[in-house]
Amino acid sequence: MSSRHLTEVIVFGVLFVLVSVVGFVAARWRRPDTMHTLDEWGLGGRSFGSWITWFLIGGDLYTAYTFVAVPALVFGAGAAGFYAVPYTVVVYPLVFLVLIRLWSVSHVHGFVTPADFVRARFGSPLLALLIAITGIVATMPYIALQLVGIQATLKAMGVTGHWPIVIAFAILAAYTYQSGLRAPALIAFVKDALIYIVISVAVLYIPHKLGGWGHVFNAAQAKFDKTPTPADGTLLNANNQLNYAMLALGSALALFLYPHSVTGVLASKNRNVIKRNMAALPAYSFVLGLIALLGFMAIAAGVKPLTTGGKPDSNTVVPLLFDHMFPSWFAGVAYAAVGIGALVPAAIMSIAAANLFTRNIYREYFRRDASEAEEAKVSKLVSLVVKVGAVACILLLDPQFSIDLQLIGGVIILQTLPAVGLGLITRWFHRGGLMAGWVAGLAAGLWMLYRIPNPATHKVHFGGSAYPLSDLGFDTKVTVYVGMLALLVNLVVAVVATLVLKAVKAADGVDATRADDYYADEGDPKVASGTREIEAELA
């Protein structure tokens, strides 16, 4: 290992250890009376104010995907990689009112997961089970993306092998197990501070060293002019505009369906906290746009991705850019920002997936009389298992770009939109129709994903998320995001099946929620008394 890499590793290690200490200390933050309930361990006591929620949700949504995957896609495919910017602008007004309704009904009934809400809303344990399984499965590739980010950073520092990932995984698992949601909430302050510092320096310092922004964009266009793929370039063209728009819309619809996003929202102490955060969080999108430009900077700097198994690893382009352009000590700081930016969301995601298993599988089908302490214990153990599943995603899936891990998860989680997203607005759908739509949408989505090859590695399946419309019989080279096509199938089947089931007067579930449940706020007698109607029904 060179002296430069040694300095980077030392700085990275010191900051990583500091953050780990913060994670363990978080167990005593605000001194909760007990960490033996899901409300305390999995939702931070439902007590986070505006500032904590800002950093928690921001740290939850802007992840290693932001720092590693988005610039890697821009580096490899050009303007198409900027789809992440409009979708993070669109998502907040799109879900503003829906999330407030979810917070209120969840606090009235003590819901911990979106599947809890679905069970009560549609009176169907089976539908809740399907939503829970979907949430767990969709979260796996998203956590895997965080591990990919850490792995890419370690490679750039000259650290190889699996043992560093195992160590990082073990530390993450330990403080998540002990501190629950308080750990990533506290660490998010450090993570965001590092990201703001690194990006501020990067967008001023790197272009200056490269000869200005004009040179950066000219170098990027020169590269794409030489590529054989007509969809690549610094501007969109007729072949990728529709896919770009559908990626942005589909990703926006999917973002707050993820269990970890719901967890961050339910941890807020009142409706005003959510309102303020949904209004302010788009500020992160400006930073995201700057981060995406790192892909073009890497092209101008002549960065060549490291090779793994004889093929280039595009995930290493941003870490290598930092290594080439920054002094060794500051490169270590930048690497720590990426690594910590992966740990925060990975912790929240594992907690959210574990809560789904505990509430909607373990308690529903194995131990209906489980105590709150037993629920918390099971969630802690399952959070460890979830992380192992994420590692399996890295081994089993080999997409062209790591961002496809997130997009594949989006295809899966979008199939919960009719039950969760639309269920918060209307009770029109029949539970049987929602289940039929879920089956059809998921089957269609997985079938399309299976048919997409990877042009970089020549593997024939799960190589991306852009499906060519020519495969559906259209005479065009246009591609569309699989998630939106699968959601369309889901909605059509759900609507048709609901009409049929209502026409034949098929039995439907009972809605355990009331209209005023969706407007309750902190201090409401129902919330203050901790009414648990769904809990009583389970018992």
Side-chain angles (χ1 to χ4, degrees):
M1 180 179 292
S2 67
S3 60
R4 176 181 177 81
H5 283 163
L6 181 60
T7 301
E8 293 170 350
V9 170
I10 291 173
V11 173
F12 177 88
V14 168
L15 290 173
F16 194 91
V17 169
L18 172 63
V19 164
S20 299
V21 171
V22 172
F24 286 110
V25 170
R28 296 184 175 276
W29 182 32
R30 295 191 168 189
R31 297 189 176 276
D33 295 331
T34 176
M35 287 291 284
H36 302 305
T37 68
L38 284 187
D39 268 11
E40 286 295 344
W41 182 81
L43 293 179
R46 302 181 190 256
S47 61
F48 294 160
S50 296
W51 275 107
I52 299 172
T53 301
W54 160 274
F55 285 104
L56 178 66
I57 297 181
D60 189 9
L61 303 183
Y62 297 88
T63 68
Y65 138 82
T66 309
F67 238 130
V68 173
V70 171
L73 183 59
V74 171
F75 178 88
F82 284 91
Y83 85 91
V85 178
Y87 108 64
T88 56
V89 174
V90 169
V91 64
Y92 298 107
L94 194 65
V95 302
F96 185 94
L97 297 177
V98 175
L99 285 179
I100 293 174
R101 293 171 65 85
L102 177 61
W103 184 93
S104 292
V105 72
S106 296
H107 275 55
V108 170
H109 293 272
F111 300 149
V112 175
T113 70
D116 282 348
F117 162 72
V118 169
R119 189 193 189 285
R121 181 65 153 163
F122 297 99
S124 175
L126 179 57
L127 179 58
L129 174 64
L130 298 180
I131 299 301
I133 292 173
T134 306
I136 294 170
V137 172
T139 301
M140 294 299 185
Y142 219 154
I143 301 177
L145 177 55
Q146 313 314 314
L147 300 180
V148 167
I150 298 175
Q151 193 175 47
T153 300
L154 293 171
K155 285 182 182 179
M157 289 188 289
V159 180
T160 57
H162 297 298
W163 63 268
I165 292 292
V166 172
I167 293 174
F169 170 86
I171 294 173
L172 170 65
Y175 67 64
T176 302
Y177 184 93
Q178 176 177 316
S179 304
L181 193 65
R182 284 178 170 81
L186 203 54
I187 293 171
F189 285 87
V190 181
K191 171 242 181 187
D192 277 11
L194 288 174
I195 286 179
Y196 294 148
I197 292 170
V198 171
I199 291 303
S200 297
V201 172
V203 298
L204 295 174
Y205 178 73
I206 296 178
H208 173 73
K209 284 197 68 176
L210 293 174
W213 283 107
H215 175 69
V216 169
F217 283 102
N218 289 337
Q221 188 58 55
K223 175 200 170 182
F224 294 123
D225 287 342
K226 298 176 183 178
T227 60
T229 306
D232 293 344
T234 55
L235 296 175
L236 297 174
N237 57 53
N239 291 330
N240 60 10
Q241 288 174 0
L242 180 60
N243 186 55
Y244 181 93
M246 291 299 100
L247 268 176
L249 179 58
S251 298
L253 293 174
L255 188 59
F256 276 95
L257 292 171
Y258 278 106
H260 59 277
S261 301
V262 172
T263 296
V265 170
L266 296 187
S268 306
K269 69 178 182 179
N270 57 45
R271 287 165 62 97
N272 283 334
V273 167
I274 301 171
K275 291 177 182 179
R276 284 191 286 267
N277 273 276
M278 290 304 104
L281 277 168
Y284 269 101
S285 300
F286 174 71
V287 179
L288 176 58
L290 299 178
I291 292 173
L293 288 171
L294 292 173
F296 286 161
M297 294 182 210
I299 295 173
V303 171
K304 302 295 182 185
L306 295 177
T307 57
T308 302
K311 60 184 180 182
D313 182 0
S314 62
N315 301 313
T316 61
V317 295
V318 169
L320 287 174
L321 175 68
F322 293 155
D323 185 57
H324 292 346
M325 305 302 295
F326 289 148
S328 57
W329 69 270
F330 193 75
V333 173
Y335 291 152
V338 178
I340 297 168
L343 292 181
V344 171
I348 303 172
M349 292 169 191
S350 63
I351 290 170
N355 289 345
L356 279 169
F357 175 85
T358 301
R359 270 299 184 94
N360 308 113
I361 298 178
Y362 178 78
R363 178 164 184 171
E364 183 74 54
Y365 294 96
F366 296 100
R367 288 292 299 274
R368 289 203 170 193
D369 59 345
S371 65
E372 290 187 335
E374 183 178 352
E375 281 187 334
K377 182 179 180 180
V378 171
S379 272
K380 290 178 180 181
L381 293 173
V382 174
S383 72
L384 306 180
V385 177
V386 168
K387 296 180 183 70
V388 176
V391 175
C393 284
I394 297 176
L395 300 176
L396 297 176
L397 297 177
D398 187 20
Q400 180 183 6
F401 299 108
S402 62
I403 201 168
D404 281 317
L405 288 169
Q406 187 254 350
L407 295 176
I408 288 171
V411 173
I412 297 171
I413 201 65
L414 270 173
Q415 308 319 309
T416 67
L417 186 144
V420 179
L422 297 182
L424 285 163
I425 300 171
T426 178
R427 182 55 175 79
W428 178 81
F429 287 98
H430 191 284
R431 61 182 178 181
L434 290 171
M435 284 186 271
W438 178 88
V439 171
L442 196 58
L446 293 177
W447 175 77
M448 285 184 280
L449 288 172
Y450 182 79
R451 288 172 53 87
I452 297 176
N454 186 323
T457 63
H458 305 293
K459 291 192 175 182
V460 293
H461 305 303
F462 295 100
S465 59
Y467 193 77
L469 291 181
S470 58
D471 285 6
L472 298 178
F474 295 94
D475 184 17
T476 179
K477 294 181 180 180
V478 172
T479 59
V480 177
Y481 177 43
V482 169
M484 293 303 290
L485 293 176
L487 178 61
L488 179 61
V489 172
N490 185 333
L491 288 171
V492 169
V493 172
V495 169
V496 172
T498 294
L499 291 172
V500 171
L501 290 170
K502 287 188 174 184
V504 300
K505 294 182 170 52
D508 198 359
V510 176
D511 185 359
T513 69
R514 297 181 298 270
D516 60 347
D517 292 345
Y518 297 88
Y519 301 95
D521 202 352
E522 182 184 25
D524 186 290
K526 292 179 296 184
V527 177
S529 63
T531 302
R532 297 285 197 270
E533 295 171 357
I534 192 67
E535 301 253 350
E537 183 182 339
L538 280 172

